[in-house]
Amino acid sequence: MTKYLVFGHKNPDTDAISAAIAMSYFLEKSGEEAEPVALGSVNDETAFALKKFNCEAPRVVSQVSQEVNHVALVDHNEPQQSVEDLGQVQVDYVVDHHRIQGFETAQPLYYRAEPIGCTSTILYKLFKEHDFDIPQAIAGLMLSAIISDTLLFKSPTSTHQDKDAAVELAKIADVNLEEYGLELLKSGTNLDSKSEADIVNGDAKNFTMAGRNVRVSQVNVVGFDDILTRKDAVLTQMKTDMDAYNYDLSLLVITDILESTSLGLVQGKDAEFIEKAFAGQISDQAISLPGVVSRKKQVVPQLTQAFEQ
């Protein structure tokens, strides 16, 4: 029997971890052997969800080809966001809700991508289509992923499908959707114990835009005051990472989850493209991003267009 390793993107968020666990269970129910793994340690929010539903975090890997020949990707498809040796294994499954960029395979595969708020919503639909029951703990993790990715349905990426799935998953998980949702989101906003590297790299993705290597990170907060006291140190960390990994541009999106707005910190020689993308002005390496909460829908497409125009 073929064994699959199932994983989300580097610097995994709650959806990447939860979707890997849910997809592994789905494959097992389908008669395959599968194990969820992670391409990085879990963040505070994900740890909160795992503890809430008595689940262990998947083991962390940086390579997979020494273990298996076949893999399944969740919550990503872009190679630069994936495992280092992706080109040495066969991708048989992808379940994702992001743009498709730089992805190709030599063999046919199962590819499910939908323009909705969360990968776990797609997985919920897969379970229903196959008439598979969802265990309480996995339902709780999938619910957590939907809450996280949609900011409790405040994100413009959120759809009625995400909310409908969350309502049903909350019933299976036996939690109050609104109460648990706020607890989960707040669990990831305490930055006191986080280093500047944690802040910058905890939820970071790399993108290729018109030949440039662009790093877009995001961190959730309640109010901007605390993180602004560390602004210089955070910018220094961003510069250190740029020099180490040859990024042309680095943007940290700081999102106030209660006010549904963001502030951006900027490093790099192509900063003018950020002003162009958001029709704003950078002052002292910061730019106001009113109403912006979604990297996927309100940051990456706008930046890509700015670079390509």
Side-chain angles (χ1 to χ4, degrees):
M1 179 185 294
T2 298
K3 177 179 178 178
Y4 288 94
L5 290 183
V6 185
F7 48 87
H9 50 76
K10 294 177 180 176
N11 303 309
D13 56 10
T14 302
D15 193 25
I17 296 295
S18 299
I21 293 171
M23 183 64 180
S24 293
Y25 182 79
F26 176 85
L27 290 174
E28 293 273 358
K29 291 286 287 184
S30 302
E32 305 288 355
E33 182 182 359
E35 179 192 356
V37 293
L39 306 188
S41 301
V42 300
N43 61 32
D44 289 346
E45 179 191 88
T46 309
F48 179 88
L50 289 167
K51 182 177 180 180
K52 172 73 174 181
F53 297 105
N54 297 312
C55 294
E56 292 186 4
R59 64 186 175 95
V60 177
V61 301
S62 59
Q63 297 184 335
V64 295
S65 60
Q66 294 178 344
E67 296 188 53
V68 296
N69 295 318
H70 299 262
V71 300
L73 310 185
V74 293
D75 201 32
H76 77 296
N77 69 84
E78 299 188 42
Q80 67 268 31
Q81 297 176 9
S82 198
V83 73
E84 294 176 5
D85 56 348
L86 185 66
Q88 299 177 42
V89 293
Q90 181 171 312
V91 180
D92 289 342
Y93 297 90
V94 177
V95 181
D96 191 18
H97 68 133
H98 296 95
R99 71 175 190 175
I100 302 172
Q101 177 79 14
F103 178 81
E104 61 181 10
T105 64
Q107 303 292 333
L109 77 161
Y110 179 92
Y111 198 112
R112 179 86 171 248
E114 298 187 26
I116 57 181
C118 184
T119 302
S120 288
T121 302
I122 304 172
L123 286 167
Y124 171 80
K125 294 167 68 175
L126 277 174
F127 276 95
K128 290 301 180 183
E129 290 164 8
H130 288 75
D131 199 27
F132 291 162
D133 290 336
I134 306 174
Q136 182 177 3
I138 292 179
L141 293 180
M142 294 169 69
L143 169 66
S144 302
I146 296 171
I147 292 168
S148 177
D149 268 17
T150 67
L151 289 180
L152 201 53
F153 318 115
K154 292 181 179 180
S155 170
T157 62
S158 181
T159 69
H160 69 88
Q161 296 181 66
D162 298 294
K163 189 163 188 177
D164 290 347
V167 168
E168 293 305 314
L169 289 167
K171 293 177 183 177
I172 299 171
D174 192 25
V175 295
N176 180 286
L177 176 55
E178 293 293 328
E179 291 178 3
Y180 174 67
L182 287 174
E183 288 177 1
L184 177 75
L185 292 177
K186 288 181 179 179
S187 72
T189 62
N190 185 0
L191 304 183
D192 292 344
S193 62
K194 288 184 170 66
S195 67
E196 283 73 30
D198 292 333
I199 292 171
V200 173
N201 298 310
D203 183 7
K205 292 184 178 180
N206 295 346
F207 301 90
T208 300
M209 300 180 183
R212 275 88 160 187
N213 189 12
V214 180
R215 177 84 153 179
V216 182
S217 308
Q218 188 167 24
V219 63
N220 290 340
V221 298
V222 175
F224 296 129
D225 291 346
D226 288 345
I227 195 167
L228 285 178
T229 64
R230 303 171 64 178
K231 176 184 172 185
D232 290 344
V234 169
L235 285 167
T236 297
Q237 181 66 50
M238 292 169 68
K239 180 65 166 59
T240 298
D241 292 343
M242 284 190 65
D243 293 341
Y245 299 104
N246 296 314
Y247 303 139
D248 295 295
L249 180 65
S250 180
L251 171 65
L252 173 62
V253 180
I254 306 164
T255 300
D256 186 326
I257 62 169
L258 296 186
E259 298 298 329
S260 297
T261 194
S262 295
L263 175 72
L265 297 186
V266 183
Q267 279 282 17
K269 59 186 179 183
D270 292 321
E272 70 271 14
F273 290 100
I274 291 179
E275 293 184 326
K276 182 178 180 182
F278 302 109
Q281 185 173 358
I282 296 172
S283 176
D284 196 23
Q285 294 184 264
I287 184 169
S288 177
L289 302 172
V292 171
V293 296
S294 169
R295 172 172 51 198
K296 181 182 70 173
K297 193 166 185 177
Q298 296 175 294
V299 178
V300 173
Q302 290 78 359
L303 266 179
T304 302
Q305 183 178 19
F307 273 106
E308 293 179 349
Q309 284 180 341

